[in-house]
């Protein structure tokens, strides 16, 4: 399989796994501090990846050089995850997933600034269509709310996290010095977890871990293994094989996956008008993934 196709497959799996964290996160966001939850998920994810590193590549000599690289990447992802769960305290899962789909637009900008990755005319069109679809969902298909720019507090908080996520993608390619994706992921998790413990030690020590409801532990395990360990590796793997905008293009599938999660959890589907915005994000994904040699 060509390297670019490997990257596409990795991001398809990534989008499916990420979606579950929105639905499960909304169920547990108000039951535990976002900092404490994410500190636990980083520890568990780090242990899983450490086993994977020991069983596969080991830690190359050069991987421990310039540890500041891991602090930068770990810090970006720690901020992203904390703000995601803070936002999910009030934002609905599908709406938060729509905010997540703004990542490709921002990633394309960071990709140009940091790596001089050029966005083609078709990619710009696709990003615009995707952004319109995202805004349609975020404002719940309410044109009056859009005109007044009435965005929910949860969505606004999460948007700041999305900016960090978008910056993370090109930074992986810029800071990686040939380390395997799984090793680079381990360094990122260790650094991110350490920063979370330093920042939120009161929340971590103050949490009643034994008395937490089952849904919180289910969420922690899911986001640690499926939505952290696996997706960290998949994202870094794909970032080394695809342009930043195309890596993040797969975020356009997230609202569709979240809708399926919500239906499966018995929360119902959004109203038909909102589904129109989801349809636009799927069109944007199609345009972004077409062969760049073809014309619009």
């Amino acid at each position: 399989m060509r390297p670019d196709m490997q990257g596409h497959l990795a991001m398809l799996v990534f989008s499916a796994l990420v979606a579950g964290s929105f639905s499960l996160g909304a169920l547990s966001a108000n039951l535990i501090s976002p900092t404490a939850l994410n500190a636990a998920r980083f520890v568990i994810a780090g242990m899983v990846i450490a086993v994977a590193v020991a069983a596969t590549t080991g830690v190359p000599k050069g991987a421990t050089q310039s540890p500041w690289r891991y602090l930068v990447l770990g810090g970006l992802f720690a901020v992203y995850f904390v703000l995601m769960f803070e936002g999910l305290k009030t934002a609905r899962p599908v709406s938060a997933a729509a905010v997540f789909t703004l990542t490709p637009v921002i990633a394309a900008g960071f990709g140009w600034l940091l790596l001089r990755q050029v966005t083609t005319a078709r990619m710009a069109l696709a990003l615009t269509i995707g952004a319109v679809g995202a805004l349609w969902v975020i404002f719940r298909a309410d044109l009056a709310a859009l005109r007044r720019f009435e965005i929910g507090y949860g969505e606004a908080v999460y948007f700041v996290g999305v900016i960090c996520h978008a910056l993370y993608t090109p930074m992986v390619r810029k800071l990686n010095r040939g380390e395997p994706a799984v090793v680079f992921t381990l360094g990122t998790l260790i650094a991110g977890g350490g920063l979370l413990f330093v920042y939120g030690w009161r929340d971590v020590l103050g949490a009643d871990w034994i008395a937490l409801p089952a849904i919180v532990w289910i969420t922690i395990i899911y986001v640690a293994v499926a939505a952290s360990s696996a997706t960290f590796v998949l994202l870094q793997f794909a970032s080394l094989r695809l342009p930043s905008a195309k890596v993040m293009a797969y975020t356009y599938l997230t609202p569709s996956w979240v809708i399926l999660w919500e239906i499966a959890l018995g929360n119902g589907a959004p109203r038909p008008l909102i589904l129109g915005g989801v349809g636009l994000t799927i069109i944007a994904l199609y345009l972004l993934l077409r062969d760049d040699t073809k014309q619009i």
Side-chain angles (χ1 to χ4, degrees):
M1 186 182 294
R2 298 198 318 265
D4 61 327
M5 294 305 297
Q6 293 174 355
H8 288 307
L9 180 60
M11 289 310 298
L12 181 64
V13 178
F14 169 91
S15 65
L17 293 177
V18 164
S21 61
F22 287 95
S23 294
L24 293 174
L27 295 174
S28 59
N30 290 295
L31 302 175
I32 184 175
S33 159
T35 305
L37 184 150
N38 282 288
R41 71 102 63 89
F42 268 65
V43 170
I44 296 171
M47 291 190 294
V48 172
I49 294 298
V51 171
V53 169
T56 54
T57 64
V59 180
K61 284 185 178 180
T64 56
Q65 294 178 353
S66 302
W68 61 268
R69 298 178 295 153
Y70 303 113
L71 287 172
V72 171
L73 295 175
L76 287 172
F77 244 28
V79 171
Y80 165 74
F81 283 123
V82 168
L83 293 183
M84 173 186 177
F85 279 85
E86 185 65 35
L88 283 171
K89 288 182 178 181
T90 56
R92 286 182 283 189
V94 175
S95 182
V99 176
F100 188 53
T101 63
L102 294 173
T103 309
V105 179
I106 307 169
F110 284 134
W112 182 82
L113 286 173
L114 296 172
L115 304 171
R116 288 298 183 263
Q117 292 176 341
V118 178
T119 300
T120 65
R122 191 187 69 254
M123 289 177 70
L125 174 63
L127 292 171
T128 302
I129 292 174
V132 170
L135 290 172
W136 187 250
V137 177
I138 292 167
F139 289 100
R140 300 175 179 84
D142 185 343
L143 289 176
L146 178 60
R147 284 194 296 269
R148 294 190 300 270
F149 206 73
E150 290 179 356
I151 186 170
Y153 172 77
E155 288 87 347
V157 168
Y158 182 44
F159 178 68
V160 178
V162 164
I163 294 173
C164 293
H165 192 290
L167 177 57
Y168 174 87
T169 306
M171 287 298 288
V172 167
R173 179 173 288 197
K174 188 173 183 64
L175 298 180
N176 185 274
R177 297 178 181 175
E179 297 91 350
V182 68
V183 174
F184 214 52
T185 298
L186 178 60
T188 300
L189 286 169
I190 292 174
L195 290 171
L196 281 172
F197 274 100
V198 170
Y199 170 76
W201 64 271
R202 288 187 180 85
D203 290 335
V204 174
L205 296 180
D208 190 351
W209 296 100
I210 297 177
L212 288 175
I215 185 60
V216 176
W217 281 110
I218 291 171
T219 301
I220 290 174
I221 298 299
Y222 179 86
V223 297
V225 178
S228 286
S229 303
T231 57
F232 270 36
V233 174
L234 291 168
L235 182 59
Q236 295 198 13
F237 180 87
S239 295
L240 298 173
R241 290 161 175 78
L242 297 171
S244 297
K246 285 203 171 190
V247 169
M248 289 293 95
Y250 278 92
T251 61
Y252 287 138
L253 281 181
T254 306
S256 300
W257 286 115
V258 171
I259 288 171
L260 295 179
W261 270 89
E262 289 294 288
I263 293 173
L265 292 172
N267 297 328
R271 55 199 182 100
L273 277 177
I274 292 179
L275 292 177
V278 175
L280 287 177
T281 63
I282 294 175
I283 293 172
L285 173 67
Y286 169 74
L287 289 173
L288 279 169
L289 296 184
R290 284 179 56 194
D291 185 355
D292 283 331
T293 61
K294 296 179 181 179
Q295 299 299 313
I296 297 177

